[in-house]
Amino acid sequence: MTDDEFLLLNPGPVPVTDAVREAMDAPMVSHRSADFEAVYERAQDGLDYVFEHSTPQEQSTSAGGTSLVLNGTATMGMEAAVANLAGEDCEVVALVNGKFGRRFARIAERYASVTRVEVEWGDSLDPDSVAEAVTDDTDLVTMVHNETSTGILNPVPEVGEIAAAHDARFVVDGVTSIGGDVFRIDDWNVDMAITDSQKALAAPPGVSAMYVTDRVVEHIDGERAPFYADLDWHLRKAESHQTPFTSAVPLFRALAVAVEEIESEGMEARIERHRQQAAAFRSGFAAMGLEGFPTLDDASTHSNTVTAISLPAAVRDHPEEFFAAVDERNVSISGGQAHLGGDIFRVSNMGHLTDEQVLRGVRTVGEAFTDVGVDVDLEAGLDDARTQLD
């Protein structure tokens, strides 16, 4: 139906640049070689910049910490954080308003006693409810910053204040925010932050990154964690730009290039670009007559990297027809996860999308709905999206 180049708008993996892809083609080297150490050092330096300078002014937001690259996706980082900071005699408060908040809670339940602060997926988390759940007996609070499954940005600053007031460790999943939106380590009292290569960092999937603040190191107990996720060990090896075990050399190379590209663009420009493009998606879809999904209050805002939209009632019985119409245009978007399958669709603007690609995404969605009999105002949608991008 189209000769246009394939456009990946899923909320991860996201498109990678030619330079990132080509970095994986270099000859293989030993993961214990000086060549690899140089690659890991580049990746660490770039990650330090992203973790520590993700603000519109790019000022440092951390008094000190260590960036680690893990040989596994962010779920490994989530488990590593929990397992190194909490044991069976510990109490964890886990915040849940989507799939990945639930995942954090399920991980914690394998290691400690867990209290969930839970609302419907897509609803806002209430800081007052968090304050009631967190006590002086709480050892750890887990939270997702940008809930990928619902397109909602959660109130990390407010929860960080609550955790700090009770001297609880605070671990944040920043998988779809770090590298594309504001993230403040110390201002938000974050002890460990986790992100994934294939999200806003715009690298291939398979590795993840974690920032471990200096102040949390004394609370880490690597011996109670899984052998592969012993953070004491990872931190020791990172001092010499190594990992404890065999590293995915091509993926580390790709990540090093990806974070260097982020630093070249600058976080100030990158944050602004992501915010404009997300606003274009939201505004464009709203002008078409589509309804946004997340239910917001004063504590939460829309995601600036993932847009979730409710599917019109007319297509909910057979949503596959709408997604097939999108696929026919050589564009890939995502549906809802778990019980939200058939209720919503999601698009991503993470990475290095151009404004033209965002407009193509808006047009594709509008045309696909028209194909399946939904009356949308495509031109109004495109006009509003363009206005946000100007």
Side-chain angles (χ1 to χ4, degrees), residues 347-365:
V347 296
S348 159
N349 57 288
M350 288 182 281
H352 298 278
L353 290 185
T354 64
D355 290 351
E356 290 73 21
Q357 289 172 317
V358 171
L359 291 172
R360 182 181 166 196
V362 173
R363 178 182 295 279
T364 295
V365 167

mmCIF file with all atom_site columns, all heavy atoms in Angstrom, residues 347-365:
data_model
loop_
_atom_site.group_PDB
_atom_site.id
_atom_site.type_symbol
_atom_site.label_atom_id
_atom_site.label_alt_id
_atom_site.label_comp_id
_atom_site.label_asym_id
_atom_site.label_entity_id
_atom_site.label_seq_id
_atom_site.pdbx_PDB_ins_code
_atom_site.Cartn_x
_atom_site.Cartn_y
_atom_site.Cartn_z
_atom_site.occupancy
_atom_site.B_iso_or_equiv
_atom_site.pdbx_formal_charge
_atom_site.auth_seq_id
_atom_site.auth_comp_id
_atom_site.auth_asym_id
_atom_site.auth_atom_id
_atom_site.pdbx_PDB_model_num
ATOM 1   N N   . VAL A 1 347 ? 1.834  5.344  21.083 1.00 0.00 ? 347 VAL A N   1
ATOM 2   C CA  . VAL A 1 347 ? 2.904  5.716  20.162 1.00 0.00 ? 347 VAL A CA  1
ATOM 3   C C   . VAL A 1 347 ? 4.040  6.330  20.968 1.00 0.00 ? 347 VAL A C   1
ATOM 4   O O   . VAL A 1 347 ? 3.825  6.946  22.012 1.00 0.00 ? 347 VAL A O   1
ATOM 5   C CB  . VAL A 1 347 ? 2.433  6.695  19.075 1.00 0.00 ? 347 VAL A CB  1
ATOM 6   C CG1 . VAL A 1 347 ? 1.390  6.056  18.181 1.00 0.00 ? 347 VAL A CG1 1
ATOM 7   C CG2 . VAL A 1 347 ? 1.904  7.985  19.686 1.00 0.00 ? 347 VAL A CG2 1
ATOM 8   N N   . SER A 1 348 ? 5.251  6.169  20.455 1.00 0.00 ? 348 SER A N   1
ATOM 9   C CA  . SER A 1 348 ? 6.438  6.694  21.114 1.00 0.00 ? 348 SER A CA  1
ATOM 10  C C   . SER A 1 348 ? 7.070  7.787  20.284 1.00 0.00 ? 348 SER A C   1
ATOM 11  O O   . SER A 1 348 ? 7.045  7.739  19.053 1.00 0.00 ? 348 SER A O   1
ATOM 12  C CB  . SER A 1 348 ? 7.451  5.556  21.318 1.00 0.00 ? 348 SER A CB  1
ATOM 13  O OG  . SER A 1 348 ? 8.766  6.065  21.491 1.00 0.00 ? 348 SER A OG  1
ATOM 14  N N   . ASN A 1 349 ? 7.653  8.758  20.956 1.00 0.00 ? 349 ASN A N   1
ATOM 15  C CA  . ASN A 1 349 ? 8.505  9.729  20.275 1.00 0.00 ? 349 ASN A CA  1
ATOM 16  C C   . ASN A 1 349 ? 9.909  9.720  20.871 1.00 0.00 ? 349 ASN A C   1
ATOM 17  O O   . ASN A 1 349 ? 10.652 10.694 20.785 1.00 0.00 ? 349 ASN A O   1
ATOM 18  C CB  . ASN A 1 349 ? 7.914  11.140 20.351 1.00 0.00 ? 349 ASN A CB  1
ATOM 19  C CG  . ASN A 1 349 ? 7.683  11.617 21.772 1.00 0.00 ? 349 ASN A CG  1
ATOM 20  O OD1 . ASN A 1 349 ? 6.781  11.137 22.452 1.00 0.00 ? 349 ASN A OD1 1
ATOM 21  N ND2 . ASN A 1 349 ? 8.482  12.561 22.232 1.00 0.00 ? 349 ASN A ND2 1
ATOM 22  N N   . MET A 1 350 ? 10.307 8.586  21.457 1.00 0.00 ? 350 MET A N   1
ATOM 23  C CA  . MET A 1 350 ? 11.639 8.468  22.044 1.00 0.00 ? 350 MET A CA  1
ATOM 24  C C   . MET A 1 350 ? 12.710 8.350  20.967 1.00 0.00 ? 350 MET A C   1
ATOM 25  O O   . MET A 1 350 ? 12.484 7.764  19.909 1.00 0.00 ? 350 MET A O   1
ATOM 26  C CB  . MET A 1 350 ? 11.704 7.236  22.959 1.00 0.00 ? 350 MET A CB  1
ATOM 27  C CG  . MET A 1 350 ? 10.945 7.388  24.265 1.00 0.00 ? 350 MET A CG  1
ATOM 28  S SD  . MET A 1 350 ? 11.079 5.947  25.331 1.00 0.00 ? 350 MET A SD  1
ATOM 29  C CE  . MET A 1 350 ? 9.900  4.827  24.565 1.00 0.00 ? 350 MET A CE  1
ATOM 30  N N   . GLY A 1 351 ? 13.858 8.889  21.290 1.00 0.00 ? 351 GLY A N   1
ATOM 31  C CA  . GLY A 1 351 ? 15.011 8.707  20.416 1.00 0.00 ? 351 GLY A CA  1
ATOM 32  C C   . GLY A 1 351 ? 15.274 9.906  19.539 1.00 0.00 ? 351 GLY A C   1
ATOM 33  O O   . GLY A 1 351 ? 15.382 11.041 20.013 1.00 0.00 ? 351 GLY A O   1
ATOM 34  N N   . HIS A 1 352 ? 15.345 9.660  18.234 1.00 0.00 ? 352 HIS A N   1
ATOM 35  C CA  . HIS A 1 352 ? 15.764 10.701 17.296 1.00 0.00 ? 352 HIS A CA  1
ATOM 36  C C   . HIS A 1 352 ? 14.726 10.931 16.194 1.00 0.00 ? 352 HIS A C   1
ATOM 37  O O   . HIS A 1 352 ? 15.084 11.174 15.044 1.00 0.00 ? 352 HIS A O   1
ATOM 38  C CB  . HIS A 1 352 ? 17.100 10.322 16.658 1.00 0.00 ? 352 HIS A CB  1
ATOM 39  C CG  . HIS A 1 352 ? 18.226 10.192 17.642 1.00 0.00 ? 352 HIS A CG  1
ATOM 40  N ND1 . HIS A 1 352 ? 18.942 11.270 18.110 1.00 0.00 ? 352 HIS A ND1 1
ATOM 41  C CD2 . HIS A 1 352 ? 18.747 9.097  18.265 1.00 0.00 ? 352 HIS A CD2 1
ATOM 42  C CE1 . HIS A 1 352 ? 19.855 10.856 18.968 1.00 0.00 ? 352 HIS A CE1 1
ATOM 43  N NE2 . HIS A 1 352 ? 19.758 9.550  19.080 1.00 0.00 ? 352 HIS A NE2 1
ATOM 44  N N   . LEU A 1 353 ? 13.443 10.849 16.515 1.00 0.00 ? 353 LEU A N   1
ATOM 45  C CA  . LEU A 1 353 ? 12.427 11.067 15.497 1.00 0.00 ? 353 LEU A CA  1
ATOM 46  C C   . LEU A 1 353 ? 12.488 12.503 14.979 1.00 0.00 ? 353 LEU A C   1
ATOM 47  O O   . LEU A 1 353 ? 12.715 13.452 15.736 1.00 0.00 ? 353 LEU A O   1
ATOM 48  C CB  . LEU A 1 353 ? 11.033 10.806 16.057 1.00 0.00 ? 353 LEU A CB  1
ATOM 49  C CG  . LEU A 1 353 ? 10.636 9.371  16.387 1.00 0.00 ? 353 LEU A CG  1
ATOM 50  C CD1 . LEU A 1 353 ? 9.175  9.337  16.812 1.00 0.00 ? 353 LEU A CD1 1
ATOM 51  C CD2 . LEU A 1 353 ? 10.874 8.434  15.231 1.00 0.00 ? 353 LEU A CD2 1
ATOM 52  N N   . THR A 1 354 ? 12.245 12.666 13.694 1.00 0.00 ? 354 THR A N   1
ATOM 53  C CA  . THR A 1 354 ? 12.105 13.997 13.123 1.00 0.00 ? 354 THR A CA  1
ATOM 54  C C   . THR A 1 354 ? 10.654 14.453 13.266 1.00 0.00 ? 354 THR A C   1
ATOM 55  O O   . THR A 1 354 ? 9.734  13.638 13.475 1.00 0.00 ? 354 THR A O   1
ATOM 56  C CB  . THR A 1 354 ? 12.474 14.001 11.639 1.00 0.00 ? 354 THR A CB  1
ATOM 57  O OG1 . THR A 1 354 ? 11.538 13.180 10.914 1.00 0.00 ? 354 THR A OG1 1
ATOM 58  C CG2 . THR A 1 354 ? 13.890 13.462 11.421 1.00 0.00 ? 354 THR A CG2 1
ATOM 59  N N   . ASP A 1 355 ? 10.424 15.745 13.128 1.00 0.00 ? 355 ASP A N   1
ATOM 60  C CA  . ASP A 1 355 ? 9.059  16.255 13.175 1.00 0.00 ? 355 ASP A CA  1
ATOM 61  C C   . ASP A 1 355 ? 8.218  15.657 12.046 1.00 0.00 ? 355 ASP A C   1
ATOM 62  O O   . ASP A 1 355 ? 7.021  15.393 12.211 1.00 0.00 ? 355 ASP A O   1
ATOM 63  C CB  . ASP A 1 355 ? 9.063  17.779 13.068 1.00 0.00 ? 355 ASP A CB  1
ATOM 64  C CG  . ASP A 1 355 ? 9.625  18.451 14.317 1.00 0.00 ? 355 ASP A CG  1
ATOM 65  O OD1 . ASP A 1 355 ? 9.850  17.758 15.327 1.00 0.00 ? 355 ASP A OD1 1
ATOM 66  O OD2 . ASP A 1 355 ? 9.843  19.679 14.268 1.00 0.00 ? 355 ASP A OD2 1
ATOM 67  N N   . GLU A 1 356 ? 8.850  15.445 10.897 1.00 0.00 ? 356 GLU A N   1
ATOM 68  C CA  . GLU A 1 356 ? 8.130  14.853 9.764  1.00 0.00 ? 356 GLU A CA  1
ATOM 69  C C   . GLU A 1 356 ? 7.654  13.444 10.098 1.00 0.00 ? 356 GLU A C   1
ATOM 70  O O   . GLU A 1 356 ? 6.548  13.030 9.685  1.00 0.00 ? 356 GLU A O   1
ATOM 71  C CB  . GLU A 1 356 ? 9.025  14.836 8.529  1.00 0.00 ? 356 GLU A CB  1
ATOM 72  C CG  . GLU A 1 356 ? 9.315  16.211 7.933  1.00 0.00 ? 356 GLU A CG  1
ATOM 73  C CD  . GLU A 1 356 ? 10.287 17.039 8.776  1.00 0.00 ? 356 GLU A CD  1
ATOM 74  O OE1 . GLU A 1 356 ? 11.047 16.431 9.584  1.00 0.00 ? 356 GLU A OE1 1
ATOM 75  O OE2 . GLU A 1 356 ? 10.277 18.266 8.642  1.00 0.00 ? 356 GLU A OE2 1
ATOM 76  N N   . GLN A 1 357 ? 8.450  12.690 10.844 1.00 0.00 ? 357 GLN A N   1
ATOM 77  C CA  . GLN A 1 357 ? 8.037  11.339 11.233 1.00 0.00 ? 357 GLN A CA  1
ATOM 78  C C   . GLN A 1 357 ? 6.879  11.382 12.221 1.00 0.00 ? 357 GLN A C   1
ATOM 79  O O   . GLN A 1 357 ? 5.982  10.534 12.178 1.00 0.00 ? 357 GLN A O   1
ATOM 80  C CB  . GLN A 1 357 ? 9.231  10.579 11.806 1.00 0.00 ? 357 GLN A CB  1
ATOM 81  C CG  . GLN A 1 357 ? 10.260 10.193 10.760 1.00 0.00 ? 357 GLN A CG  1
ATOM 82  C CD  . GLN A 1 357 ? 11.523 9.607  11.370 1.00 0.00 ? 357 GLN A CD  1
ATOM 83  O OE1 . GLN A 1 357 ? 12.033 10.103 12.372 1.00 0.00 ? 357 GLN A OE1 1
ATOM 84  N NE2 . GLN A 1 357 ? 12.019 8.539  10.762 1.00 0.00 ? 357 GLN A NE2 1
ATOM 85  N N   . VAL A 1 358 ? 6.886  12.359 13.120 1.00 0.00 ? 358 VAL A N   1
ATOM 86  C CA  . VAL A 1 358 ? 5.764  12.520 14.045 1.00 0.00 ? 358 VAL A CA  1
ATOM 87  C C   . VAL A 1 358 ? 4.487  12.821 13.269 1.00 0.00 ? 358 VAL A C   1
ATOM 88  O O   . VAL A 1 358 ? 3.429  12.217 13.509 1.00 0.00 ? 358 VAL A O   1
ATOM 89  C CB  . VAL A 1 358 ? 6.062  13.633 15.071 1.00 0.00 ? 358 VAL A CB  1
ATOM 90  C CG1 . VAL A 1 358 ? 4.815  13.953 15.897 1.00 0.00 ? 358 VAL A CG1 1
ATOM 91  C CG2 . VAL A 1 358 ? 7.207  13.215 15.987 1.00 0.00 ? 358 VAL A CG2 1
ATOM 92  N N   . LEU A 1 359 ? 4.569  13.730 12.301 1.00 0.00 ? 359 LEU A N   1
ATOM 93  C CA  . LEU A 1 359 ? 3.395  14.058 11.487 1.00 0.00 ? 359 LEU A CA  1
ATOM 94  C C   . LEU A 1 359 ? 2.939  12.847 10.683 1.00 0.00 ? 359 LEU A C   1
ATOM 95  O O   . LEU A 1 359 ? 1.728  12.631 10.505 1.00 0.00 ? 359 LEU A O   1
ATOM 96  C CB  . LEU A 1 359 ? 3.711  15.225 10.564 1.00 0.00 ? 359 LEU A CB  1
ATOM 97  C CG  . LEU A 1 359 ? 3.907  16.579 11.258 1.00 0.00 ? 359 LEU A CG  1
ATOM 98  C CD1 . LEU A 1 359 ? 4.414  17.622 10.270 1.00 0.00 ? 359 LEU A CD1 1
ATOM 99  C CD2 . LEU A 1 359 ? 2.616  17.049 11.923 1.00 0.00 ? 359 LEU A CD2 1
ATOM 100 N N   . ARG A 1 360 ? 3.886  12.049 10.214 1.00 0.00 ? 360 ARG A N   1
ATOM 101 C CA  . ARG A 1 360 ? 3.501  10.824 9.505  1.00 0.00 ? 360 ARG A CA  1
ATOM 102 C C   . ARG A 1 360 ? 2.748  9.884  10.435 1.00 0.00 ? 360 ARG A C   1
ATOM 103 O O   . ARG A 1 360 ? 1.766  9.228  10.025 1.00 0.00 ? 360 ARG A O   1
ATOM 104 C CB  . ARG A 1 360 ? 4.737  10.129 8.935  1.00 0.00 ? 360 ARG A CB  1
ATOM 105 C CG  . ARG A 1 360 ? 4.402  8.860  8.146  1.00 0.00 ? 360 ARG A CG  1
ATOM 106 C CD  . ARG A 1 360 ? 5.652  8.195  7.624  1.00 0.00 ? 360 ARG A CD  1
ATOM 107 N NE  . ARG A 1 360 ? 5.363  6.831  7.178  1.00 0.00 ? 360 ARG A NE  1
ATOM 108 C CZ  . ARG A 1 360 ? 6.296  5.909  6.953  1.00 0.00 ? 360 ARG A CZ  1
ATOM 109 N NH1 . ARG A 1 360 ? 7.575  6.207  7.089  1.00 0.00 ? 360 ARG A NH1 1
ATOM 110 N NH2 . ARG A 1 360 ? 5.944  4.701  6.573  1.00 0.00 ? 360 ARG A NH2 1
ATOM 111 N N   . GLY A 1 361 ? 3.176  9.813  11.697 1.00 0.00 ? 361 GLY A N   1
ATOM 112 C CA  . GLY A 1 361 ? 2.463  8.984  12.653 1.00 0.00 ? 361 GLY A CA  1
ATOM 113 C C   . GLY A 1 361 ? 1.041  9.454  12.869 1.00 0.00 ? 361 GLY A C   1
ATOM 114 O O   . GLY A 1 361 ? 0.097  8.655  12.924 1.00 0.00 ? 361 GLY A O   1
ATOM 115 N N   . VAL A 1 362 ? 0.863  10.766 13.007 1.00 0.00 ? 362 VAL A N   1
ATOM 116 C CA  . VAL A 1 362 ? -0.481 11.322 13.175 1.00 0.00 ? 362 VAL A CA  1
ATOM 117 C C   . VAL A 1 362 ? -1.337 11.008 11.953 1.00 0.00 ? 362 VAL A C   1
ATOM 118 O O   . VAL A 1 362 ? -2.496 10.561 12.069 1.00 0.00 ? 362 VAL A O   1
ATOM 119 C CB  . VAL A 1 362 ? -0.401 12.848 13.401 1.00 0.00 ? 362 VAL A CB  1
ATOM 120 C CG1 . VAL A 1 362 ? -1.808 13.463 13.414 1.00 0.00 ? 362 VAL A CG1 1
ATOM 121 C CG2 . VAL A 1 362 ? 0.321  13.158 14.715 1.00 0.00 ? 362 VAL A CG2 1
ATOM 122 N N   . ARG A 1 363 ? -0.781 11.241 10.770 1.00 0.00 ? 363 ARG A N   1
ATOM 123 C CA  . ARG A 1 363 ? -1.537 10.972 9.540  1.00 0.00 ? 363 ARG A CA  1
ATOM 124 C C   . ARG A 1 363 ? -1.910 9.496  9.427  1.00 0.00 ? 363 ARG A C   1
ATOM 125 O O   . ARG A 1 363 ? -3.048 9.153  9.079  1.00 0.00 ? 363 ARG A O   1
ATOM 126 C CB  . ARG A 1 363 ? -0.712 11.388 8.316  1.00 0.00 ? 363 ARG A CB  1
ATOM 127 C CG  . ARG A 1 363 ? -1.422 11.094 6.983  1.00 0.00 ? 363 ARG A CG  1
ATOM 128 C CD  . ARG A 1 363 ? -0.560 11.468 5.796  1.00 0.00 ? 363 ARG A CD  1
ATOM 129 N NE  . ARG A 1 363 ? -0.324 12.904 5.745  1.00 0.00 ? 363 ARG A NE  1
ATOM 130 C CZ  . ARG A 1 363 ? -1.185 13.780 5.264  1.00 0.00 ? 363 ARG A CZ  1
ATOM 131 N NH1 . ARG A 1 363 ? -2.376 13.374 4.789  1.00 0.00 ? 363 ARG A NH1 1
ATOM 132 N NH2 . ARG A 1 363 ? -0.896 15.062 5.248  1.00 0.00 ? 363 ARG A NH2 1
ATOM 133 N N   . THR A 1 364 ? -0.959 8.619  9.739  1.00 0.00 ? 364 THR A N   1
ATOM 134 C CA  . THR A 1 364 ? -1.210 7.180  9.616  1.00 0.00 ? 364 THR A CA  1
ATOM 135 C C   . THR A 1 364 ? -2.356 6.738  10.507 1.00 0.00 ? 364 THR A C   1
ATOM 136 O O   . THR A 1 364 ? -3.234 5.977  10.088 1.00 0.00 ? 364 THR A O   1
ATOM 137 C CB  . THR A 1 364 ? 0.070  6.399  9.953  1.00 0.00 ? 364 THR A CB  1
ATOM 138 O OG1 . THR A 1 364 ? 1.070  6.690  8.967  1.00 0.00 ? 364 THR A OG1 1
ATOM 139 C CG2 . THR A 1 364 ? -0.186 4.907  9.990  1.00 0.00 ? 364 THR A CG2 1
ATOM 140 N N   . VAL A 1 365 ? -2.344 7.202  11.750 1.00 0.00 ? 365 VAL A N   1
ATOM 141 C CA  . VAL A 1 365 ? -3.415 6.833  12.676 1.00 0.00 ? 365 VAL A CA  1
ATOM 142 C C   . VAL A 1 365 ? -4.756 7.338  12.157 1.00 0.00 ? 365 VAL A C   1
ATOM 143 O O   . VAL A 1 365 ? -5.765 6.608  12.159 1.00 0.00 ? 365 VAL A O   1
ATOM 144 C CB  . VAL A 1 365 ? -3.123 7.379  14.085 1.00 0.00 ? 365 VAL A CB  1
ATOM 145 C CG1 . VAL A 1 365 ? -4.363 7.287  14.977 1.00 0.00 ? 365 VAL A CG1 1
ATOM 146 C CG2 . VAL A 1 365 ? -1.962 6.611  14.723 1.00 0.00 ? 365 VAL A CG2 1
#
